[in-house]
Amino acid sequence: MSDPTKPVTMEQIAALAGVSTITVSRALRDSPSVTPATRERIKTLAEAAGYRFNHHARNLRLRRSHMVAVMLEMQPDTDRPMTDAYPLQLLGGITQELTSRGYSVLLSALQSPGQGMAASADGVILLGQGAHGSAVKSVAAMGLPLVVWGAEHGRGDAVVVGGDNAHGGASAAERLMALGRRELLFLGDVRHAEIRDRQQGFAKALKKAGLKAQTLTPAAFTFGAGFTAVQAHLAGLGRSGKVPDGLFAASDLLAMGAVRAFTDAGLAVPEQVSVIGYDDSPAAQSFAPPLTSVRQDWHHGGVLLARKVLDLIAGHDAASEIMPTELVVRGT
C-alpha cells in the first residue's frame, strides 16, 4: 500500500480486488450476497494488506441497535428547504415502515458518515447519490447495509430504489412533440445519475422524431438556479438564435424558475413556450399556471427503502427496484 504508517482502507482493498467498496464491506461481513469464492479472495487480500477489521463495531452491530440512519445528500438552501415534498414524503414512508417494525430513525445531512451516532446504526438509507455517485462511495465505506434512493448504475454496487427516470424523460418529450414544440431545452445537472437518466430518456424519444434538445446546467436544484440558467441562455441567443418553445426540467423548482425567466423575457407560458417539470410536488400544483410534471410516488419509495434495508440487516438478499412514473398534464 502507499503509506505503511496509515491504516489500510476498504477503498484500497476494493482497488486491489477489482470490486466495489460495498462488495468489500459485504465480504468482510460474510454477506450471502457475495459468493464464497469472492469473499475468500477479498479476505485474503485484506489480511495480506494489513487491513484491520473493526471487530468492536461489528459486535455492536450484531447486538443490534434497532436504529437505521437516514442520510440526506442535500445542502440546505433558503430556495430549497428540507421542508419541501422531497425529502419529507420519502421520510414519511421510511419512518412509517421502520417504526412499525420496531426500529428508530436517525436523520442527518451527509457530512462525515464515518463518525457520530450513524456508525452504531444497523443500516443506512441514503437519499441522493451525489455527482458521479460520490455520496454512495462515501457512505458505502462505513461498511453497513446500505440502500440508496436514486438511479441504478448498472454494476449492482448498491441496492437502489427510484423512479423510472428514463420513462419520465420520454413522456415529457412525447408531450412536447404532441404540442408541436421543436426548439427544445433540457434543464438539469447530468452529473447526477437520476438527472442523466431523465435527460437520456428525453433525448432518445426526441431522436426517434429527428429532434434534439440543448442541455442547460443549473448551478443547483433551486428556483433561483433554474431562473438564472434560462435567463442567461435567452440573453445569449442574439438576433440569429432560435427562441426555445419547449423546456423539460429535471425538477419542479427548476421548471418554476424557468417559467419566471421566460415570462420576464416576454415569452408567454404556455402560449409561446411549454414547460414540464419533474416530481409533481405540491408547489407545482399551486403554481401559476399549474405546472405540468412527471410524478413519482415518493411515499411508496420510502416504504421500499425501509423494507430493503431491513432485509439486508437480517442477512437476506435485496434487489434494486424501479417504480413507474407518469406525466401529470396541467397548465404549462
Side-chain angles (χ1 to χ4, degrees), residues 154-197:
R155 301 195 309 269
D157 289 355
V159 176
V160 175
V161 174
D164 190 339
N165 295 289
H167 177 267
S171 65
E174 289 162 3
R175 172 65 180 173
L176 291 173
M177 289 188 291
L179 293 171
R181 304 309 190 184
R182 295 295 181 267
E183 301 299 329
L184 303 172
L185 299 174
F186 175 81
L187 177 61
D189 185 349
V190 296
R191 295 178 304 162
H192 296 258
E194 287 181 275
I195 310 307
R196 184 169 62 252
D197 284 356

Side-chain angles (χ1 to χ4, degrees), residues 86-212:
Y86 175 86
L88 283 188
Q89 290 185 14
L90 275 173
L91 290 170
I94 291 168
T95 303
Q96 172 186 302
E97 187 66 18
L98 289 179
T99 54
S100 70
R101 304 273 290 273
Y103 274 76
S104 58
V105 178
L106 173 66
L107 176 64
S108 69
L110 181 64
Q111 294 176 345
S112 300
Q115 302 175 0
M117 291 183 64
S120 63
D122 294 335
V124 180
I125 294 172
L126 173 63
L127 303 184
Q129 294 167 292
H132 306 300
S134 58
V136 179
K137 297 171 186 174
S138 176
V139 175
M142 295 174 66
L144 294 169
L146 171 65
V147 181
V148 181
W149 172 263
E152 287 188 288
H153 288 276
R155 301 195 309 269
D157 289 355
V159 176
V160 175
V161 174
D164 190 339
N165 295 289
H167 177 267
S171 65
E174 289 162 3
R175 172 65 180 173
L176 291 173
M177 289 188 291
L179 293 171
R181 304 309 190 184
R182 295 295 181 267
E183 301 299 329
L184 303 172
L185 299 174
F186 175 81
L187 177 61
D189 185 349
V190 296
R191 295 178 304 162
H192 296 258
E194 287 181 275
I195 310 307
R196 184 169 62 252
D197 284 356
R198 292 169 197 176
Q199 188 271 341
Q200 289 179 348
F202 186 61
K204 185 176 181 180
L206 293 178
K207 186 177 181 179
K208 291 179 180 178
L211 299 174
K212 61 181 180 179

Side-chain angles (χ1 to χ4, degrees), residues 18 24 30 32 57 59 62 82 96 114 154 165 170 172 174 187 217 220 260 289-290:
V24 173
D30 291 319
N59 288 338
L62 288 174
M82 289 189 179
Q96 172 186 302
N165 295 289
E174 289 162 3
L187 177 61
T217 304
R260 178 65 59 82

Side-chain angles (χ1 to χ4, degrees), residues 27 34-44:
V34 181
T35 64
T38 300
R39 288 204 303 266
E40 187 61 31
R41 182 169 65 88
I42 290 171
K43 287 181 179 180
T44 300

